[in-house]
Amino acid sequence: MTRHDLGERARLALKRPDLLREAAWINGVWVTGDAVIEVTNPANGKVLGAVPALGEAETLGAVAAAHAAFPAWAARAAKDRAAILRRWFELVMAHRDDLARLMTAEQGKPLAEAQGEVAYAAGFIEWFGEEAKRAYGEVIPGHQADKRIVVLKQPVGVVAAVTPWNFPAAMITRKVAPALAAGCTVVLKPSELTPFSALALALLGEEAGLPAGVFNIVTGPPAPIGAVLTTDPRVAKFTFTGSTSVGKMLAAACMGTVKRVSLELGGNAPFIVFDDADLDAAVEGAMASKFRNTGQTCVCANRLLVQAGIYDAFAERLTNRVKALRVGDGLEGATDQGPLINAGALDKVERHIANAVAGGAGMLTGGRRFGTSGTWFEPTVLIDVPPLALLNIEETFGPVAGLVRFETEAQALAMANDTRAGLASYVFTRDLDRAWRMGEGLQYGMVGLNTGLISTEVAPFGGIKESGLGREGSHFGLDEYMELKMMCVGLAPAPV
Ligand code: SIN
């Protein structure tokens, strides 16, 4: 039975059609199944293909494969692992166009953004391959004259990773590359909405020389797969990117076997513009932060806090920029905004807008769904959003910029910090002292000062409070996959 729309497949126009895999990847074998999950293009609702709906038995098999592959992979010289990661990076970059088209088709983001994400994803493979060779331990002066203390860094073991749909490639390599570089083996469960990017990465990983069992992908519904990954004692480390509510449940399940846990959860990013800001830079920063991936990133500006003196000018310029955004199917010419991921996302955006307007917010542009197929929403700007509106207290995950007016720096800081989320925040000001005060005062894992784009493989990405645990990217990201082992060495007295 054909499980895809023929026109949709033709539109993909992949130079290497075999990059689209409709099978899971376990122990170096492509695994199919009778039950499947269809993958649709959110731009038009058409079926691109299907992946097997695997469950407990196959997940146990993948964990067993990763467990068996671990000793040999961990024992290889870091330089060897680095060479394989380097080849993987080169293959990903060589197939950038195909990977981007697949991503746009399954996720909806504009092709230029998908191209950018492929390079971002490859950057993690390159970076961590290089870092593998620098996983230095430490020698500590002994606490007694006849003692020496050495600290080794060793791979934690089998890593289970669960990744989201909003960045179908980069959120995978941000976890898998450091894990493999450290000497760990991996079982990945990608989002069932966007599995094709993950499977294409696995194919290229195999071509780069990753041995069977070192990187496994189980496709299927979250519950049975997650149940194994969070409870199997052979899994040493669990890493998740997704919603705060799901992250809390998964982390709790991991505690039964005291797994190491990293969580990259939801945000509620304040984007603060002071009267002394460079207005053009602030508007461009807001566009980049708010409308990247059609507002569907966890570091998207969620609340735009704008000082009274610049408020009207900022609102006007932002609205003009938003009106000029090209919204459309990324496979059909240059676009700036794509569809939202699904109907649930549309519902949430609508609910947030209705709630803000009911509370007194004004609409400057957008505000409606459109199109007869696909999940399309107009890029929207709202002003005078009440502080307690849903738009300000929940993560909207859509193309809606809601402006809130403030008067003083202290007021802005208090509003910004009044949330249990603590992922990303942004400040625009030309006052150096204020920039430092705000940078130090914001209770967030990341602060963008006069920039709306902060993500890179070379910097630590992660949140505080309920936005997560641990850091991804940078040399700190490698430590998440390594244990410290202390060896205390007792020395015999010197011969007389
Ligand atoms: C995310 O939305 O989870 C990640 C965004 C990024 O890496 O910039």
Side-chain angles (χ1 to χ4, degrees), residues 164 166-167 171 174 241-243 264-269 289 292-293 295-302 395 397 421-426 446 454-455 461 467:
N166 62 342
F167 287 86
M171 296 306 98
R174 194 152 82 177
T241 295
S243 74
E264 205 262 90
L265 307 178
N268 180 3
S289 171
R292 176 173 170 232
N293 203 12
Q296 301 172 110
T297 87
C298 56
V299 292
C300 273
N302 201 52
E395 198 178 24
F397 241 62
L423 191 60
S425 55
Y426 305 86
M446 297 174 284
I454 55 175
S455 305
F461 187 106
S467 283

Side-chain angles (χ1 to χ4, degrees), residues 50-75:
V51 291
L54 303 181
E56 184 185 345
E58 295 86 358
T59 312
L60 285 168
V63 171
H67 193 246
F70 173 66
W73 182 246

